[in-house]
Amino acid sequence: DLTELYAAVVGRERPPSLPEAAEAWHVEVRKNPTDKFWTYLLWVDDQGTVVEQHMKINRLICRIVLEERRELEEAEAKAFAWRVEPPR
């Protein structure tokens, strides 16, 4: 399904789970522009990478945090041992 969401940059701050990280853009995403509550919270670095994301699942806030970032050559990427197995 496709749906429209509304995003607004609300500030610049350190991601909550990464206090040692550089400041990032704090983005709030809502289903409707007038909603009081967010659907997603994002912290995006200056290169456009999402370094932290908060979302709600069954009214519980879940956080996804980028722990490591590196660039791989094509051969390295093909042989990379993922820590999280993709669905089958």
Side-chain angles (χ1 to χ4, degrees), residues 8-31:
V9 176
V10 295
R12 191 159 167 81
E13 63 189 37
R14 285 187 168 76
S17 300
L18 301 166
E20 72 287 346
E23 288 189 342
W25 298 104
H26 181 188
V27 180
E28 292 183 357
V29 179
R30 292 179 165 73
K31 289 185 179 177

Side-chain angles (χ1 to χ4, degrees), residues 10-11 13-15 20-21 27 29 31 35 37-38 41 53-55 60 72 79 83 85:
V10 295
E13 63 189 37
R14 285 187 168 76
E20 72 287 346
V27 180
V29 179
K31 289 185 179 177
D35 286 350
F37 301 104
W38 52 266
L41 293 178
Q53 174 182 328
H54 295 190
M55 61 186 169
L60 296 173
L72 303 176
R83 291 188 289 178
E85 291 295 319

Side-chain angles (χ1 to χ4, degrees), residues 2-88:
L2 241 28
T3 186
E4 289 184 344
L5 296 173
Y6 299 87
V9 176
V10 295
R12 191 159 167 81
E13 63 189 37
R14 285 187 168 76
S17 300
L18 301 166
E20 72 287 346
E23 288 189 342
W25 298 104
H26 181 188
V27 180
E28 292 183 357
V29 179
R30 292 179 165 73
K31 289 185 179 177
N32 296 296
T34 56
D35 286 350
K36 289 185 178 185
F37 301 104
W38 52 266
T39 303
Y40 301 100
L41 293 178
L42 307 169
W43 284 264
V44 182
D45 70 13
D46 291 335
Q47 290 74 41
T49 301
V50 175
V51 294
E52 185 164 342
Q53 174 182 328
H54 295 190
M55 61 186 169
K56 297 174 193 167
I57 299 176
N58 295 329
R59 292 182 284 191
L60 296 173
I61 297 174
C62 299
R63 291 189 288 185
I64 300 171
V65 180
L66 179 65
E67 292 180 348
E68 179 182 347
R69 178 182 173 179
R70 58 186 161 143
E71 293 184 23
L72 303 176
E73 298 294 329
E74 185 176 348
E76 290 176 300
K78 287 180 181 177
F80 186 77
W82 294 95
R83 291 188 289 178
V84 177
E85 291 295 319
R88 296 176 188 206

